[in-house]
Amino acid sequence: MSVTFEKLPASAAEFSALADGALTNPENTCALFLLALNLYTQDKDAGLAAINILRGPRPLNGFDSQFIRDRLRDKAYLPLAYFDGATPDNGYAPAAPYTVRFYPDPRPQDCEAGYMRLFLKTTGADSARPVKLRQKGNEWFLWEYSSILSGIRIPTAEDPWA
């Protein structure tokens, strides 16, 4: 499973247009989350608005916003690290079109009805990382995503040991 975007949204309006009608597919919700995080690295308010679209009826609170801020501080490369072609050697800068691949949940029986996990891989980590989604009606919303914001190998250009 994969999702591809021709370009990265540069504003809340561009993000909203991409998200409109796309949340019926859980892979789209997950891929849009990476775009929302990338937007956050450019414009914090637009990024938070984008993430709130993906959270549905459970908007970010102060703790959630602080968590995102802390995890992305000095790590603007992190959101794009999950896209094809992003490596520590190129500073996690994938080329267009931007494709993110998803891997099946090795233990789907651990998710209760109305929830699902998708796994993403990055060359910056040794194992796939989960994103948990929750269904409401025919749409899928972000539920748990802290693993995506966990540290990864720093870009080679920033690594004093490289």
Side-chain angles (χ1 to χ4, degrees):
M1 298 178 284
S2 66
V3 174
T4 300
F5 301 98
E6 293 304 316
K7 66 179 222 152
L8 303 173
S11 68
E14 286 181 18
F15 181 88
S16 185
L18 278 176
D20 188 35
L23 304 185
T24 57
N25 179 315
E27 290 84 4
N28 288 345
T29 301
C30 191
L32 285 164
F33 177 54
L34 298 175
L35 297 185
L37 290 173
N38 187 64
L39 181 58
Y40 179 89
T41 66
Q42 314 301 313
D43 177 341
K44 288 179 181 32
D45 291 335
L48 292 175
I51 293 167
N52 272 328
I53 290 170
L54 302 175
R55 286 179 57 107
R58 190 176 67 126
L60 294 163
N61 60 35
F63 175 78
D64 297 324
S65 298
Q66 182 177 344
F67 179 79
I68 291 167
R69 184 190 71 221
D70 291 347
R71 293 303 180 272
L72 291 178
R73 183 180 294 133
D74 300 325
K75 294 182 183 89
Y77 56 84
L78 186 61
L80 297 182
Y82 295 90
F83 285 87
D84 285 359
T87 68
D89 290 339
N90 68 11
Y92 298 109
Y98 303 95
T99 299
V100 61
R101 297 187 189 284
F102 301 96
Y103 300 88
D105 187 344
R107 297 194 47 83
Q109 67 272 20
D110 291 346
C111 276
E112 59 218 73
Y115 294 84
M116 98 176 328
R117 283 185 306 216
L118 294 172
F119 283 77
L120 295 92
K121 292 183 181 178
T122 172
T123 57
D126 295 331
S127 59
R129 298 188 173 178
V131 172
K132 190 171 187 180
L133 304 162
R134 183 173 183 179
Q135 189 174 27
K136 181 175 194 246
N138 66 342
E139 292 184 306
W140 289 92
F141 297 99
L142 287 175
W143 191 254
E144 165 53 40
Y145 47 82
S146 62
S147 294
I148 296 299
L149 292 165
S150 295
I152 60 173
R153 291 177 194 92
I154 62 174
T156 304
E158 296 178 26
D159 186 355
W161 295 99

Short mmCIF file of all heavy atoms in Angstrom, two decimals, residues 33-91:
data_model
loop_
_atom_site.label_atom_id
_atom_site.label_comp_id
_atom_site.label_asym_id
_atom_site.label_seq_id
_atom_site.Cartn_x
_atom_site.Cartn_y
_atom_site.Cartn_z
N PHE A 33 -0.91 13.05 7.56
CA PHE A 33 -0.28 13.43 8.82
C PHE A 33 1.17 13.83 8.60
O PHE A 33 1.64 14.83 9.16
CB PHE A 33 -0.38 12.28 9.83
CG PHE A 33 0.30 12.55 11.14
CD1 PHE A 33 0.02 13.70 11.87
CD2 PHE A 33 1.23 11.67 11.64
CE1 PHE A 33 0.65 13.95 13.08
CE2 PHE A 33 1.87 11.90 12.84
CZ PHE A 33 1.58 13.05 13.57
N LEU A 34 1.89 13.09 7.78
CA LEU A 34 3.27 13.46 7.49
C LEU A 34 3.34 14.82 6.79
O LEU A 34 4.22 15.64 7.09
CB LEU A 34 3.95 12.38 6.65
CG LEU A 34 4.04 11.00 7.29
CD1 LEU A 34 4.61 9.99 6.30
CD2 LEU A 34 4.87 11.03 8.57
N LEU A 35 2.40 15.07 5.89
CA LEU A 35 2.37 16.38 5.23
C LEU A 35 2.02 17.48 6.22
O LEU A 35 2.57 18.59 6.14
CB LEU A 35 1.35 16.37 4.08
CG LEU A 35 1.62 15.43 2.92
CD1 LEU A 35 0.58 15.65 1.82
CD2 LEU A 35 3.02 15.58 2.37
N ALA A 36 1.12 17.20 7.15
CA ALA A 36 0.76 18.19 8.17
C ALA A 36 1.97 18.51 9.06
O ALA A 36 2.20 19.67 9.41
CB ALA A 36 -0.40 17.68 9.02
N LEU A 37 2.73 17.48 9.42
CA LEU A 37 3.94 17.71 10.22
C LEU A 37 4.96 18.53 9.45
O LEU A 37 5.60 19.43 10.00
CB LEU A 37 4.57 16.38 10.65
CG LEU A 37 3.79 15.56 11.67
CD1 LEU A 37 4.46 14.20 11.86
CD2 LEU A 37 3.69 16.30 13.00
N ASN A 38 5.09 18.24 8.16
CA ASN A 38 6.02 19.02 7.34
C ASN A 38 5.55 20.47 7.24
O ASN A 38 6.36 21.40 7.33
CB ASN A 38 6.17 18.40 5.96
CG ASN A 38 7.24 19.09 5.16
OD1 ASN A 38 8.42 19.06 5.52
ND2 ASN A 38 6.86 19.74 4.09
N LEU A 39 4.25 20.67 7.08
CA LEU A 39 3.70 22.02 7.05
C LEU A 39 3.99 22.73 8.37
O LEU A 39 4.35 23.92 8.39
CB LEU A 39 2.20 21.97 6.76
CG LEU A 39 1.46 23.30 6.66
CD1 LEU A 39 2.06 24.19 5.58
CD2 LEU A 39 -0.03 23.04 6.38
N TYR A 40 3.89 22.02 9.47
CA TYR A 40 4.19 22.57 10.79
C TYR A 40 5.62 23.12 10.86
O TYR A 40 5.86 24.15 11.47
CB TYR A 40 3.98 21.50 11.86
CG TYR A 40 4.29 21.97 13.27
CD1 TYR A 40 3.30 22.56 14.05
CD2 TYR A 40 5.56 21.84 13.81
CE1 TYR A 40 3.58 23.01 15.33
CE2 TYR A 40 5.85 22.28 15.09
CZ TYR A 40 4.86 22.86 15.84
OH TYR A 40 5.14 23.30 17.12
N THR A 41 6.56 22.44 10.22
CA THR A 41 7.96 22.91 10.25
C THR A 41 8.12 24.21 9.49
O THR A 41 9.10 24.93 9.70
CB THR A 41 8.94 21.85 9.69
OG1 THR A 41 8.71 21.66 8.29
CG2 THR A 41 8.84 20.54 10.44
N GLN A 42 7.16 24.54 8.62
CA GLN A 42 7.20 25.79 7.85
C GLN A 42 6.34 26.89 8.49
O GLN A 42 6.70 28.06 8.46
CB GLN A 42 6.70 25.56 6.42
CG GLN A 42 7.24 24.35 5.73
CD GLN A 42 8.75 24.34 5.60
OE1 GLN A 42 9.33 25.34 5.20
NE2 GLN A 42 9.37 23.25 5.94
N ASP A 43 5.20 26.48 9.03
CA ASP A 43 4.23 27.42 9.60
C ASP A 43 3.48 26.68 10.71
O ASP A 43 2.60 25.86 10.43
CB ASP A 43 3.27 27.88 8.49
CG ASP A 43 2.16 28.81 8.96
OD1 ASP A 43 1.87 28.87 10.18
OD2 ASP A 43 1.56 29.47 8.11
N LYS A 44 3.84 26.96 11.95
CA LYS A 44 3.29 26.21 13.09
C LYS A 44 1.77 26.25 13.15
O LYS A 44 1.12 25.24 13.37
CB LYS A 44 3.90 26.71 14.39
CG LYS A 44 5.36 26.29 14.54
CD LYS A 44 5.94 26.81 15.83
CE LYS A 44 7.38 26.45 16.02
NZ LYS A 44 8.22 26.31 14.88
N ASP A 45 1.18 27.43 12.96
CA ASP A 45 -0.28 27.54 13.05
C ASP A 45 -0.97 26.73 11.95
O ASP A 45 -1.96 26.04 12.21
CB ASP A 45 -0.72 29.00 12.97
CG ASP A 45 -0.31 29.80 14.21
OD1 ASP A 45 -0.13 29.18 15.29
OD2 ASP A 45 -0.16 31.03 14.11
N ALA A 46 -0.46 26.81 10.74
CA ALA A 46 -1.03 26.04 9.63
C ALA A 46 -0.88 24.55 9.88
O ALA A 46 -1.79 23.76 9.62
CB ALA A 46 -0.38 26.44 8.31
N GLY A 47 0.27 24.14 10.41
CA GLY A 47 0.51 22.73 10.71
C GLY A 47 -0.43 22.21 11.78
O GLY A 47 -0.98 21.11 11.66
N LEU A 48 -0.64 23.00 12.83
CA LEU A 48 -1.57 22.58 13.89
C LEU A 48 -3.00 22.50 13.38
O LEU A 48 -3.73 21.57 13.72
CB LEU A 48 -1.47 23.53 15.09
CG LEU A 48 -0.15 23.49 15.86
CD1 LEU A 48 -0.13 24.56 16.95
CD2 LEU A 48 0.11 22.11 16.46
N ALA A 49 -3.39 23.44 12.52
CA ALA A 49 -4.73 23.40 11.92
C ALA A 49 -4.88 22.13 11.07
O ALA A 49 -5.93 21.47 11.11
CB ALA A 49 -4.97 24.65 11.08
N ALA A 50 -3.83 21.78 10.34
CA ALA A 50 -3.87 20.58 9.50
C ALA A 50 -3.98 19.32 10.37
O ALA A 50 -4.77 18.41 10.07
CB ALA A 50 -2.62 20.52 8.63
N ILE A 51 -3.22 19.27 11.43
CA ILE A 51 -3.28 18.11 12.32
C ILE A 51 -4.67 18.00 12.95
O ILE A 51 -5.22 16.90 13.09
CB ILE A 51 -2.17 18.17 13.39
CG1 ILE A 51 -0.80 18.02 12.72
CG2 ILE A 51 -2.37 17.09 14.45
CD1 ILE A 51 0.38 18.36 13.60
N ASN A 52 -5.26 19.13 13.30
CA ASN A 52 -6.61 19.10 13.88
C ASN A 52 -7.64 18.54 12.91
O ASN A 52 -8.59 17.86 13.33
CB ASN A 52 -7.02 20.48 14.38
CG ASN A 52 -6.57 20.71 15.80
OD1 ASN A 52 -6.50 19.79 16.60
ND2 ASN A 52 -6.25 21.95 16.12
N ILE A 53 -7.48 18.80 11.62
CA ILE A 53 -8.38 18.20 10.62
C ILE A 53 -8.29 16.68 10.73
O ILE A 53 -9.29 15.98 10.71
CB ILE A 53 -8.00 18.67 9.20
CG1 ILE A 53 -8.35 20.14 9.00
CG2 ILE A 53 -8.69 17.79 8.14
CD1 ILE A 53 -7.81 20.74 7.72
N LEU A 54 -7.08 16.19 10.88
CA LEU A 54 -6.84 14.75 10.91
C LEU A 54 -7.23 14.10 12.23
O LEU A 54 -7.39 12.89 12.30
CB LEU A 54 -5.37 14.46 10.62
CG LEU A 54 -4.86 14.98 9.27
CD1 LEU A 54 -3.37 14.75 9.15
CD2 LEU A 54 -5.63 14.35 8.12
N ARG A 55 -7.38 14.90 13.27
CA ARG A 55 -7.78 14.37 14.58
C ARG A 55 -9.30 14.34 14.72
O ARG A 55 -9.83 13.77 15.68
CB ARG A 55 -7.15 15.17 15.70
CG ARG A 55 -5.65 14.86 15.83
CD ARG A 55 -5.00 15.68 16.92
NE ARG A 55 -5.63 15.49 18.19
CZ ARG A 55 -5.11 14.81 19.22
NH1 ARG A 55 -3.94 14.24 19.10
NH2 ARG A 55 -5.75 14.71 20.36
N GLY A 56 -10.00 14.96 13.81
CA GLY A 56 -11.47 14.91 13.82
C GLY A 56 -12.06 15.55 15.04
O GLY A 56 -11.70 16.67 15.41
N PRO A 57 -12.97 14.83 15.74
CA PRO A 57 -13.68 15.42 16.87
C PRO A 57 -12.84 15.51 18.15
O PRO A 57 -13.37 15.87 19.19
CB PRO A 57 -14.87 14.47 17.08
CG PRO A 57 -14.39 13.17 16.56
CD PRO A 57 -13.46 13.49 15.42
N ARG A 58 -11.55 15.22 18.07
CA ARG A 58 -10.67 15.27 19.24
C ARG A 58 -9.50 16.21 18.92
O ARG A 58 -8.39 15.76 18.61
CB ARG A 58 -10.16 13.86 19.55
CG ARG A 58 -9.44 13.72 20.85
CD ARG A 58 -9.07 12.27 21.09
NE ARG A 58 -8.07 11.83 20.13
CZ ARG A 58 -6.90 11.28 20.45
NH1 ARG A 58 -6.59 11.07 21.70
NH2 ARG A 58 -6.06 10.91 19.52
N PRO A 59 -9.71 17.53 18.98
CA PRO A 59 -8.64 18.47 18.61
C PRO A 59 -7.46 18.42 19.58
O PRO A 59 -7.57 17.91 20.70
CB PRO A 59 -9.33 19.84 18.65
CG PRO A 59 -10.49 19.66 19.56
CD PRO A 59 -10.92 18.22 19.43
N LEU A 60 -6.34 18.94 19.10
CA LEU A 60 -5.15 19.03 19.94
C LEU A 60 -5.42 19.85 21.18
O LEU A 60 -6.12 20.86 21.13
CB LEU A 60 -4.01 19.70 19.15
CG LEU A 60 -3.45 18.95 17.96
CD1 LEU A 60 -2.65 19.89 17.07
CD2 LEU A 60 -2.59 17.79 18.41
N ASN A 61 -4.84 19.44 22.30
CA ASN A 61 -4.87 20.26 23.50
C ASN A 61 -3.47 20.83 23.70
O ASN A 61 -2.57 20.60 22.87
CB ASN A 61 -5.36 19.45 24.71
CG ASN A 61 -4.48 18.25 25.02
OD1 ASN A 61 -3.26 18.29 24.86
ND2 ASN A 61 -5.09 17.18 25.48
N GLY A 62 -3.26 21.56 24.76
CA GLY A 62 -1.95 22.18 25.00
C GLY A 62 -0.83 21.17 25.11
O GLY A 62 0.27 21.39 24.59
N PHE A 63 -1.08 20.06 25.77
CA PHE A 63 -0.06 19.02 25.91
C PHE A 63 0.31 18.44 24.54
O PHE A 63 1.48 18.25 24.24
CB PHE A 63 -0.56 17.90 26.83
CG PHE A 63 0.39 16.74 26.92
CD1 PHE A 63 1.52 16.81 27.71
CD2 PHE A 63 0.16 15.59 26.19
CE1 PHE A 63 2.42 15.75 27.77
CE2 PHE A 63 1.04 14.52 26.24
CZ PHE A 63 2.18 14.60 27.04
N ASP A 64 -0.70 18.16 23.71
CA ASP A 64 -0.46 17.61 22.38
C ASP A 64 0.39 18.56 21.54
O ASP A 64 1.34 18.15 20.87
CB ASP A 64 -1.77 17.35 21.64
CG ASP A 64 -2.65 16.32 22.31
OD1 ASP A 64 -2.13 15.33 22.88
OD2 ASP A 64 -3.89 16.50 22.28
N SER A 65 0.03 19.83 21.57
CA SER A 65 0.77 20.84 20.79
C SER A 65 2.21 20.95 21.27
O SER A 65 3.14 21.05 20.46
CB SER A 65 0.09 22.21 20.90
OG SER A 65 -1.20 22.15 20.38
N GLN A 66 2.40 20.92 22.57
CA GLN A 66 3.75 21.00 23.13
C GLN A 66 4.56 19.75 22.75
O GLN A 66 5.74 19.85 22.44
CB GLN A 66 3.70 21.14 24.64
CG GLN A 66 5.08 21.27 25.28
CD GLN A 66 5.00 21.48 26.77
OE1 GLN A 66 3.95 21.83 27.31
NE2 GLN A 66 6.10 21.27 27.45
N PHE A 67 3.93 18.59 22.76
CA PHE A 67 4.61 17.35 22.39
C PHE A 67 5.13 17.44 20.95
O PHE A 67 6.29 17.11 20.67
CB PHE A 67 3.65 16.16 22.54
CG PHE A 67 4.24 14.84 22.15
CD1 PHE A 67 5.08 14.17 23.03
CD2 PHE A 67 3.97 14.28 20.92
CE1 PHE A 67 5.63 12.95 22.68
CE2 PHE A 67 4.52 13.07 20.56
CZ PHE A 67 5.35 12.39 21.44
N ILE A 68 4.28 17.91 20.05
CA ILE A 68 4.69 18.06 18.65
C ILE A 68 5.82 19.08 18.53
O ILE A 68 6.83 18.83 17.86
CB ILE A 68 3.48 18.44 17.77
CG1 ILE A 68 2.52 17.24 17.70
CG2 ILE A 68 3.93 18.88 16.38
CD1 ILE A 68 1.17 17.56 17.13
N ARG A 69 5.66 20.21 19.20
CA ARG A 69 6.71 21.24 19.17
C ARG A 69 8.04 20.68 19.66
O ARG A 69 9.09 20.87 19.03
CB ARG A 69 6.31 22.44 20.02
CG ARG A 69 7.33 23.59 19.93
CD ARG A 69 7.07 24.68 20.94
NE ARG A 69 7.40 24.16 22.26
CZ ARG A 69 6.69 24.37 23.36
NH1 ARG A 69 5.60 25.10 23.32
NH2 ARG A 69 7.06 23.87 24.52
N ASP A 70 8.02 19.98 20.78
CA ASP A 70 9.25 19.44 21.35
C ASP A 70 9.90 18.40 20.44
O ASP A 70 11.11 18.35 20.30
CB ASP A 70 8.99 18.82 22.72
CG ASP A 70 8.65 19.86 23.78
OD1 ASP A 70 8.85 21.07 23.53
OD2 ASP A 70 8.15 19.45 24.85
N ARG A 71 9.10 17.55 19.83
CA ARG A 71 9.65 16.48 18.99
C ARG A 71 10.21 17.00 17.67
O ARG A 71 11.11 16.41 17.10
CB ARG A 71 8.60 15.41 18.70
CG ARG A 71 8.17 14.62 19.91
CD ARG A 71 9.35 13.96 20.62
NE ARG A 71 8.97 13.20 21.79
CZ ARG A 71 8.86 13.69 23.02
NH1 ARG A 71 9.05 14.98 23.24
NH2 ARG A 71 8.54 12.93 24.04
N LEU A 72 9.65 18.10 17.17
CA LEU A 72 10.12 18.63 15.88
C LEU A 72 11.16 19.74 16.04
O LEU A 72 11.73 20.17 15.04
CB LEU A 72 8.93 19.13 15.05
CG LEU A 72 8.00 18.03 14.54
CD1 LEU A 72 6.84 18.64 13.76
CD2 LEU A 72 8.75 17.03 13.68
N ARG A 73 11.41 20.16 17.26
CA ARG A 73 12.40 21.20 17.48
C ARG A 73 13.75 20.72 16.94
O ARG A 73 14.24 19.67 17.30
CB ARG A 73 12.53 21.52 18.96
CG ARG A 73 13.51 22.67 19.25
CD ARG A 73 13.63 22.98 20.72
NE ARG A 73 12.36 23.49 21.22
CZ ARG A 73 11.78 23.06 22.34
NH1 ARG A 73 12.31 22.12 23.07
NH2 ARG A 73 10.64 23.59 22.72
N ASP A 74 14.33 21.50 16.05
CA ASP A 74 15.61 21.20 15.40
C ASP A 74 15.59 19.89 14.62
O ASP A 74 16.63 19.30 14.35
CB ASP A 74 16.75 21.15 16.44
CG ASP A 74 16.92 22.46 17.18
OD1 ASP A 74 16.72 23.53 16.55
OD2 ASP A 74 17.23 22.43 18.38
N LYS A 75 14.40 19.42 14.24
CA LYS A 75 14.29 18.19 13.45
C LYS A 75 13.29 18.39 12.31
O LYS A 75 12.40 17.57 12.09
CB LYS A 75 13.84 17.03 14.34
CG LYS A 75 14.86 16.64 15.39
CD LYS A 75 14.37 15.45 16.19
CE LYS A 75 15.35 15.11 17.27
NZ LYS A 75 15.10 15.80 18.52
N ALA A 76 13.46 19.44 11.55
CA ALA A 76 12.55 19.72 10.44
C ALA A 76 12.59 18.60 9.39
O ALA A 76 11.66 18.46 8.60
CB ALA A 76 12.91 21.05 9.79
N TYR A 77 13.63 17.79 9.41
CA TYR A 77 13.75 16.68 8.46
C TYR A 77 12.85 15.50 8.81
O TYR A 77 12.57 14.65 7.97
CB TYR A 77 15.20 16.20 8.40
CG TYR A 77 15.77 15.80 9.75
CD1 TYR A 77 15.56 14.52 10.28
CD2 TYR A 77 16.52 16.69 10.51
CE1 TYR A 77 16.05 14.16 11.52
CE2 TYR A 77 17.02 16.33 11.75
CZ TYR A 77 16.79 15.07 12.25
OH TYR A 77 17.29 14.71 13.47
N LEU A 78 12.39 15.40 10.04
CA LEU A 78 11.67 14.21 10.51
C LEU A 78 10.42 13.86 9.70
O LEU A 78 10.24 12.70 9.33
CB LEU A 78 11.34 14.36 12.00
CG LEU A 78 10.72 13.15 12.69
CD1 LEU A 78 11.66 11.96 12.64
CD2 LEU A 78 10.39 13.49 14.12
N PRO A 79 9.52 14.80 9.39
CA PRO A 79 8.29 14.41 8.68
C PRO A 79 8.53 13.77 7.31
O PRO A 79 7.80 12.87 6.91
CB PRO A 79 7.52 15.73 8.53
CG PRO A 79 8.03 16.59 9.63
CD PRO A 79 9.48 16.21 9.79
N LEU A 80 9.55 14.22 6.59
CA LEU A 80 9.78 13.69 5.25
C LEU A 80 10.63 12.43 5.26
O LEU A 80 10.81 11.80 4.21
CB LEU A 80 10.43 14.76 4.37
CG LEU A 80 9.59 16.01 4.13
CD1 LEU A 80 10.32 16.98 3.21
CD2 LEU A 80 8.22 15.66 3.58
N ALA A 81 11.14 12.04 6.41
CA ALA A 81 12.01 10.87 6.51
C ALA A 81 11.29 9.57 6.16
O ALA A 81 11.94 8.57 5.87
CB ALA A 81 12.60 10.77 7.91
N TYR A 82 9.97 9.57 6.16
CA TYR A 82 9.19 8.36 5.88
C TYR A 82 8.84 8.20 4.41
O TYR A 82 8.22 7.21 4.02
CB TYR A 82 7.92 8.36 6.74
CG TYR A 82 8.23 8.26 8.21
CD1 TYR A 82 8.42 9.40 8.99
CD2 TYR A 82 8.39 7.02 8.81
CE1 TYR A 82 8.74 9.30 10.34
CE2 TYR A 82 8.72 6.91 10.16
CZ TYR A 82 8.89 8.06 10.90
OH TYR A 82 9.22 7.95 12.24
N PHE A 83 9.23 9.15 3.58
CA PHE A 83 8.92 9.08 2.15
C PHE A 83 10.02 8.35 1.39
O PHE A 83 11.19 8.37 1.80
CB PHE A 83 8.74 10.50 1.58
CG PHE A 83 7.44 11.13 1.97
CD1 PHE A 83 7.33 11.84 3.16
CD2 PHE A 83 6.31 11.00 1.18
CE1 PHE A 83 6.13 12.41 3.54
CE2 PHE A 83 5.10 11.57 1.54
CZ PHE A 83 5.01 12.27 2.73
N ASP A 84 9.63 7.71 0.29
CA ASP A 84 10.60 7.02 -0.56
C ASP A 84 11.72 7.97 -0.98
O ASP A 84 11.45 9.12 -1.36
CB ASP A 84 9.93 6.47 -1.82
CG ASP A 84 9.08 5.24 -1.57
OD1 ASP A 84 9.01 4.78 -0.41
OD2 ASP A 84 8.48 4.75 -2.54
N GLY A 85 12.94 7.48 -0.92
CA GLY A 85 14.09 8.27 -1.36
C GLY A 85 14.72 9.12 -0.28
O GLY A 85 15.78 9.69 -0.48
N ALA A 86 14.09 9.22 0.88
CA ALA A 86 14.65 10.01 1.99
C ALA A 86 15.66 9.16 2.75
O ALA A 86 15.33 8.07 3.20
CB ALA A 86 13.54 10.47 2.92
N THR A 87 16.87 9.66 2.86
CA THR A 87 17.94 8.94 3.57
C THR A 87 18.73 9.91 4.42
O THR A 87 18.70 11.13 4.18
CB THR A 87 18.91 8.26 2.58
OG1 THR A 87 19.64 9.28 1.88
CG2 THR A 87 18.19 7.35 1.59
N PRO A 88 19.47 9.41 5.39
CA PRO A 88 20.34 10.30 6.17
C PRO A 88 21.35 11.02 5.27
O PRO A 88 21.67 12.19 5.50
CB PRO A 88 21.05 9.37 7.15
CG PRO A 88 20.15 8.18 7.27
CD PRO A 88 19.50 8.03 5.93
N ASP A 89 21.82 10.35 4.22
CA ASP A 89 22.82 10.97 3.33
C ASP A 89 22.30 12.15 2.54
O ASP A 89 23.06 13.07 2.23
CB ASP A 89 23.39 9.92 2.37
CG ASP A 89 24.28 8.90 3.08
OD1 ASP A 89 24.78 9.21 4.18
OD2 ASP A 89 24.45 7.80 2.53
N ASN A 90 20.99 12.16 2.21
CA ASN A 90 20.45 13.31 1.47
C ASN A 90 19.66 14.25 2.38
O ASN A 90 18.88 15.07 1.90
CB ASN A 90 19.63 12.86 0.26
CG ASN A 90 18.33 12.16 0.61
OD1 ASN A 90 17.89 12.15 1.75
ND2 ASN A 90 17.71 11.55 -0.38
N GLY A 91 19.88 14.12 3.68
CA GLY A 91 19.19 14.99 4.64
C GLY A 91 17.70 14.72 4.71
O GLY A 91 16.92 15.60 5.08
#
